Amino acid sequence: RSDSLKYCEEGVKGGEEYHTLKVPRGGEYTLVLADGSKVFLNAESSLKYPVLFSGDLRKVKLEGEAYFEVAPDSCCPFLVKTAQQEIKVLGTKFNVSAYLDEPTVTTLLEGSVYLTSVVVKGEHQLVPGEQVVIDPVSNEFTVTEVDAENVIAWTLGKFVFDDNTLEQVMKKLERWYGVEVDYVDPEVKKIVFKGNLPRYLDLRILLGMIERISPARFQVDGYKVTVSLF
């Protein structure tokens, strides 16, 4: 289960001092910032944040995936910067997936956030249940309605896949289990998968569950997983 770290404002000096928390493959971490905001960091993610917030803006920088529960402060907005966007909030709950090799996905659960893309033309004020996807490869900025609870299922020990391709599924498993995936037939990447799987299962057991409901077949050799069609 996830480790945790908590910062307190009392007795803390040097608001300009920044720390960076890096979570490796196969890990997860819960962080409570000095203002009381809670951040759940997923595998292969990092967050840069000040030891103590000062000034009129609470700024953090994210690479990877995190779920934020931001402490309200109407006088000091909270700003999340990633490689592809900026999110400005006052107090709210939202999830950001901002891995460098994938589109950036922001999903709002509660409150309101204002999102501005820095790589694709677009900006949007999200309402609960909305998701913004920024894809710099296709130059697209899209807004859709989703089941936000499914998006943060990873913080509750579950993988929830909703019409994801097998390639998208395996990217998550690569980060969580620390494995490398090789595809015998590129067509297998396009298989669409829907399912709810426990996050703390042994990898072989989890892959066996996927095999039972899809035409994909897996061979595990150490830290390498080979995927083929049945």
Side-chain angles (χ1 to χ4, degrees), residues 152-205:
I152 66 161
W154 65 271
T155 68
L156 304 173
K158 293 185 291 183
F159 289 112
V160 175
F161 302 111
D162 189 7
D163 291 333
N164 296 106
T165 64
L166 188 64
E167 183 177 24
Q168 291 172 325
V169 171
M170 296 309 294
K171 272 189 173 291
K172 292 183 183 294
L173 300 189
E174 276 186 309
R175 294 191 184 104
W176 182 239
Y177 289 100
V179 296
E180 299 293 335
V181 177
D182 182 46
Y183 298 91
V184 174
D185 184 346
E187 287 299 310
V188 74
K189 298 179 180 181
K190 300 176 184 178
I191 295 173
V192 176
F193 183 75
K194 199 168 193 173
N196 184 336
L197 300 171
R199 187 169 157 95
Y200 298 102
L201 277 182
D202 177 85
L203 176 61
R204 285 181 169 82
I205 295 175

Side-chain angles (χ1 to χ4, degrees), residues 29-222:
Y29 215 94
T30 302
L31 173 67
V32 179
L33 300 173
D35 67 336
S37 295
K38 185 178 288 188
V39 186
F40 300 83
L41 276 171
N42 207 346
E44 207 170 25
S45 303
S46 68
L47 186 76
K48 184 178 180 180
Y49 55 93
V51 174
L52 179 66
F53 291 107
S54 60
D56 56 2
L57 197 62
R58 295 173 286 169
K59 292 188 292 184
V60 300
K61 186 174 183 180
L62 171 70
E63 183 177 315
E65 184 169 21
Y67 168 56
F68 293 85
E69 294 185 347
V70 175
D73 186 343
S74 59
C75 298
C76 190
F78 195 96
L79 185 73
V80 180
K81 297 189 70 172
T82 73
Q84 298 180 6
Q85 67 183 18
E86 290 186 356
I87 305 167
K88 193 173 183 180
V89 306
L90 294 177
T92 189
K93 298 180 180 180
F94 59 100
N95 193 85
V96 183
S97 180
Y99 292 102
L100 297 181
D101 59 345
E102 296 178 11
T104 295
V105 182
T106 303
T107 310
L108 182 64
L109 280 85
E110 292 181 15
S112 176
V113 302
Y114 189 78
L115 185 154
T116 305
S117 172
V118 296
V119 293
V120 175
K121 186 178 180 180
E123 55 187 42
H124 183 70
Q125 184 163 335
L126 283 80
V127 298
E130 280 191 329
Q131 181 178 87
V132 172
V133 179
I134 298 172
D135 189 340
V137 176
S138 62
N139 200 39
E140 291 180 327
F141 183 103
T142 57
V143 183
T144 57
E145 291 186 6
V146 298
D147 186 337
E149 295 294 335
N150 285 346
V151 176
I152 66 161
W154 65 271
T155 68
L156 304 173
K158 293 185 291 183
F159 289 112
V160 175
F161 302 111
D162 189 7
D163 291 333
N164 296 106
T165 64
L166 188 64
E167 183 177 24
Q168 291 172 325
V169 171
M170 296 309 294
K171 272 189 173 291
K172 292 183 183 294
L173 300 189
E174 276 186 309
R175 294 191 184 104
W176 182 239
Y177 289 100
V179 296
E180 299 293 335
V181 177
D182 182 46
Y183 298 91
V184 174
D185 184 346
E187 287 299 310
V188 74
K189 298 179 180 181
K190 300 176 184 178
I191 295 173
V192 176
F193 183 75
K194 199 168 193 173
N196 184 336
L197 300 171
R199 187 169 157 95
Y200 298 102
L201 277 182
D202 177 85
L203 176 61
R204 285 181 169 82
I205 295 175
L206 187 142
L207 293 177
M209 295 172 72
I210 296 177
E211 284 185 338
R212 287 197 289 273
I213 57 176
S214 77
R217 292 297 175 264
F218 304 96
Q219 182 178 342
V220 181
D221 182 12

